[in-house]
Amino acid sequence: MPSRRKPWHSMAKGLLLGCLFTGLLLLFYSYTIAPSQATMAKAPEPARCSSPPTLPTNIPKGSCWPKLDVVFMKTHKTASSTLLNILFRFGQKHNLKFAFPSGMSDFNYPSFFKRNTVHNYQPGDCFNIICNHMRFSYAEVHSLVTPNATFITVLRDPAHLFESSFQYFGVLVPFTWKLTGRNKLAKFLQDPDRYYDPKGINAHYLRNLLFFDLGYDSGLDPRSPQVEEHILEVEQRFHLVMLQEYFDESLVLLKDLMCWELEDVLYFKLNARRASAIPQMTGKLYQQATDWNQLDARLYRHFNASFWRKVEAFGRERMAREVASLRQENKRMERICIDGEHAVDAKDIEKPSLQPWQAMGTKTILGYNLKKHISHQYGQLCRKMVTPEIQYMTELGVNLWVTKLWWYIRKLLHI
């Protein structure tokens, strides 16, 4: 009997939370988004931001100039939180101006990005870095940065991305509640059309999520000529499309493109799951997941090919040397900063300020403990490199009252 009551108990709690959170978001919308839209209607906005390109200072003669204006289209489940940390640190280092959301950690996702969702936005405002989750709208984003801004994003093998998204977001997608058995992923992929409702709440998380995040219709017929048009449009708009599977090589290309220092692209993996929480994708499951995400598969194949063309142009031997240097420096920072030199389970993280955001119902995301005695030279860098997204945004002055309220509700109800 207890085994029957538990799902209903969980569902009731989920329903209550869903109603609560929806109400809060509607309240948030009415007090922030709606008034700003009304203001926009009265005063036409300029097509572009009005500031000149940002120029670095103290550059030695003969050196290349670091690029300071960057748009990172933050896709889901692609190691994008690690890259976000890199951009936060770089922005702080150079006192750059971020475009941040208001109240939440994303720009009203899954709605299309609107410039009036930027905190304290005023017509003509210009920003150096835009990097939080959004559903991409090129015209809106482009209007907030200078013409020389660099656009970057990151992709991941669609089968593995789907698995990660299914495990992380599945509980938020009501049609998955009908799935039974221990391996719900395999059950879903046996006959996805039986369960999938394209108009269902949060359905976008479980099909062609990359295509959706980039602002396109994730339900397009894969044979439609629009698919190829959209892929070529991404290629035209983005200066660098990185690959999660080749993250170090991607960072080397980014460093070269932006004329940054090695220190600027050092990292510790953030928002990574513990190995035991990652199910093995068998050959059959992998193929089923790829077939289910055909638009993302085409997108990934295209940019996998273009990525290796960039590597060839960069030079294979040079790439190997720079990747080795990056990994060596990352290991050195681990020895300096990390207690035990590895990530730990959420329950073993000592400081609440270093606790990462967890998926509902699970605590599979790893985090870090800092060493007790770190030299003054590295103390600040070590702390920044392990600080999760929500806490780092708070440090940067972002008021995340909606996100924090949701966090407290979850903590109160133990979900």
Side-chain angles (χ1 to χ4, degrees), residues 86 116 141 237 248 301 310 327 331 347-348:
I86 289 172
N116 63 320
V141 173
R237 289 173 172 174
D248 290 343
R301 281 196 297 270
K310 288 181 184 290
R327 289 174 179 170
K331 291 299 290 184
K347 63 180 176 57
D348 297 320

Side-chain angles (χ1 to χ4, degrees), residues 231-402:
I231 291 171
L232 294 177
E233 190 171 64
V234 173
E235 185 170 55
Q236 180 185 9
R237 289 173 172 174
F238 287 84
H239 300 87
L240 177 63
V241 176
M242 296 172 283
L243 301 180
Q244 186 260 3
E245 290 81 5
Y246 301 98
F247 195 66
D248 290 343
E249 289 85 350
S250 294
L251 289 180
V252 169
L253 291 177
L254 177 66
K255 171 178 164 289
D256 182 66
L257 173 68
M258 304 297 288
C259 192
W260 289 359
E261 301 293 329
L262 179 60
E263 180 185 299
D264 297 327
V265 295
L266 298 180
Y267 71 93
F268 301 137
K269 287 183 181 179
L270 299 179
N271 265 25
R273 286 180 292 171
R274 64 170 179 263
S276 61
I278 305 174
Q280 291 297 313
M281 290 284 283
T282 63
K284 182 181 178 182
L285 269 183
Y286 178 88
Q287 191 56 53
Q288 287 174 329
T290 302
D291 292 343
W292 177 242
N293 296 276
Q294 286 188 52
L295 304 184
D296 280 2
R298 285 187 60 179
L299 180 77
Y300 185 82
R301 281 196 297 270
H302 179 94
F303 285 102
N304 184 50
S306 68
F307 180 85
W308 292 109
R309 287 195 296 271
K310 288 181 184 290
V311 171
E312 287 292 344
F314 185 83
R316 291 268 183 175
E317 290 185 7
R318 180 186 171 200
M319 174 61 75
R321 287 195 304 271
E322 297 222 13
V323 165
S325 296
L326 174 60
R327 289 174 179 170
Q328 182 179 356
E329 195 63 13
N330 280 337
K331 291 299 290 184
R332 188 177 77 89
M333 291 305 297
E334 280 183 2
R335 291 192 295 271
I336 291 171
C337 302
I338 306 300
D339 188 26
E341 298 181 26
H342 59 78
V344 296
D345 281 339
K347 63 180 176 57
D348 297 320
I349 299 172
E350 295 170 2
K351 291 188 176 181
S353 61
L354 298 182
Q355 280 283 354
W357 185 271
Q358 301 285 346
M360 281 183 64
T362 64
K363 285 200 171 183
T364 60
I365 304 299
L366 303 174
Y368 296 94
N369 288 316
L370 289 171
K371 285 187 173 180
K372 296 295 186 291
H373 303 288
I374 301 173
S375 70
H376 179 74
Q377 179 184 358
Y378 294 105
Q380 197 173 48
L381 177 59
C382 288
R383 182 183 57 79
K384 289 178 180 180
M385 287 180 71
V386 300
T387 300
E389 175 181 345
I390 302 300
Q391 292 91 318
Y392 209 140
M393 289 181 67
T394 301
E395 181 180 319
L396 291 171
V398 186
N399 182 4
L400 298 172
W401 71 269
V402 176

Side-chain angles (χ1 to χ4, degrees), residues 38-238:
T39 305
M40 286 172 60
K42 293 176 185 175
E45 296 180 90
R48 301 202 56 79
C49 65
S50 55
S51 299
T54 309
L55 298 176
T57 57
N58 301 321
I59 303 301
K61 190 174 181 180
S63 301
C64 66
W65 290 58
K67 296 179 183 177
L68 305 182
D69 300 295
V70 58
V71 173
F72 172 44
M73 173 51 227
K74 188 177 188 289
T75 49
H76 286 86
K77 315 312 296 177
T78 57
S80 59
S81 293
T82 301
L83 191 50
L84 193 73
N85 183 275
I86 289 172
L87 292 172
F88 283 168
R89 286 171 10 228
F90 184 82
Q92 271 192 307
K93 175 182 175 180
H94 293 279
N95 297 312
L96 301 180
K97 185 178 180 181
F98 288 90
F100 281 126
S102 185
M104 299 182 289
S105 61
D106 61 67
F107 290 107
N108 204 28
Y109 184 88
S111 298
F112 280 103
F113 176 82
K114 296 285 187 183
R115 69 193 85 171
N116 63 320
T117 59
V118 174
H119 183 61
N120 288 336
Y121 170 75
Q122 295 295 321
D125 277 355
C126 199
F127 301 91
N128 300 117
I129 299 178
I130 307 175
C131 56
N132 289 87
H133 277 308
M134 67 172 76
R135 190 172 186 202
F136 191 59
S137 170
Y138 181 73
E140 288 287 314
V141 173
H142 203 231
S143 69
L144 298 177
V145 292
T146 59
N148 71 327
T150 303
F151 281 67
I152 63 174
T153 191
V154 58
L155 306 182
R156 182 182 183 183
D157 182 302
H160 294 295
L161 183 147
F162 173 78
E163 178 277 320
S164 182
S165 184
F166 188 94
Q167 304 295 344
Y168 193 88
F169 297 114
V171 69
L172 302 176
V173 187
F175 60 71
T176 65
W177 299 349
K178 297 181 287 186
L179 293 164
T180 57
R182 292 187 63 185
N183 194 339
K184 293 186 176 183
L185 176 71
K187 184 87 170 179
F188 177 85
L189 288 174
Q190 281 177 4
D191 188 8
D193 289 313
R194 176 183 173 187
Y195 303 101
Y196 184 75
D197 176 6
K199 295 181 180 178
I201 297 171
N202 292 326
H204 59 278
Y205 285 123
L206 298 187
R207 193 172 200 186
N208 297 311
L209 182 54
L210 292 171
F211 231 66
F212 183 89
D213 283 355
L214 287 164
Y216 302 117
D217 180 2
S218 56
L220 274 177
D221 185 328
R223 297 165 296 183
S224 169
Q226 283 184 285
V227 177
E228 186 65 18
E229 290 169 13
H230 292 334
I231 291 171
L232 294 177
E233 190 171 64
V234 173
E235 185 170 55
Q236 180 185 9
R237 289 173 172 174
F238 287 84

